[in-house]
Amino acid sequence: MTIMVLGLTGSIATGKSTVSAFFRELNIPVIDADLVAREVTEPHSLGLQRIAAYFGEKVLNPDGTMNRGYLGQRVFGNPAELKVLTNITAPLIRVAIIDELAAYKVKQIPLVVLDMPLLYEQHYETVVDQVMVVCTTEEQQLNRLMQRNGLTQVAAQQRIDSQISIAKKIKLADVVIDNTGDVAETKRQVVKWLEEQSFRNEE
């Protein structure tokens, strides 16, 4: 049996979450790297303790959870502090993801999707078999991010600029999903890829 790990990525607000949802609808397991990142920074976790030790008590909410708004203001647009945060969380996230992938391989699940915004930035190309990049126009990306997160144009652009450009990710990708059109067209491209790879869901 062919077992594949597909890395699903894109730049922020390009529609990666929409494609991830398609895979879930087709009963294909998805490991959500953002969810894993939250799990390794839960209250009383080693990750959150290390973050608070560097960034200070303001990074903690009264209930002990992480103040993501404050942390975001600290790191976006500040490469040095973003690097510190990444150095704290990245090793913990990697261990959790590798363990989860190993469990799926033991079960001989034919296709597992690793949904990871910073796949290239965190060098997960060696962990996956193929990389699928979801793209859209720069204008669509900026507008979606501003509307979705309630950000100013400057703040939204800072978040976009903190990642590898979508143009570079497209060049590195094994497969590109064009999300400039409607949802149905995006889904058609995903289904076409699955058919080309001979993967069948068990609906």
Side-chain angles (χ1 to χ4, degrees), residues 66-79:
M66 187 161 70
N67 186 335
R68 297 181 183 278
Y70 171 77
L71 188 60
Q73 291 174 355
R74 285 282 300 269
V75 302
F76 288 111
N78 188 326

Side-chain angles (χ1 to χ4, degrees), residues 22-140:
F22 293 158
F23 284 115
R24 289 188 174 92
E25 288 173 11
L26 296 169
N27 297 323
I28 295 166
V30 176
I31 299 173
D32 185 337
D34 284 343
L35 181 59
V36 175
R38 286 180 178 271
E39 290 172 349
V40 302
T41 56
E42 289 179 344
H44 311 298
S45 66
L46 177 62
L48 187 51
Q49 289 173 18
R50 289 176 176 174
I51 290 169
Y54 179 84
F55 291 96
E57 292 302 309
K58 286 185 179 180
V59 81
L60 297 175
N61 290 315
D63 63 357
T65 59
M66 187 161 70
N67 186 335
R68 297 181 183 278
Y70 171 77
L71 188 60
Q73 291 174 355
R74 285 282 300 269
V75 302
F76 288 111
N78 188 326
E81 293 212 321
L82 181 59
K83 185 177 181 180
V84 170
L85 178 62
T86 300
N87 288 343
I88 292 171
T89 59
L92 301 172
I93 294 168
R94 195 175 188 90
V95 168
I97 287 174
I98 295 299
D99 286 349
E100 198 166 344
L101 285 173
Y104 280 121
K105 287 182 178 181
V106 167
K107 296 176 183 176
Q108 293 196 311
I109 303 297
L111 175 63
V112 179
V113 176
L114 173 58
D115 177 348
M116 189 167 201
L118 300 180
L119 185 144
Y120 286 117
E121 290 85 346
Q122 295 298 313
H123 307 295
Y124 274 74
E125 308 96 305
T126 58
V127 174
V128 301
D129 300 301
Q130 287 193 33
V131 177
M132 175 181 285
V133 167
V134 184
C135 69
T136 186
T137 67
E138 292 181 6
E139 183 180 4
Q140 282 179 317

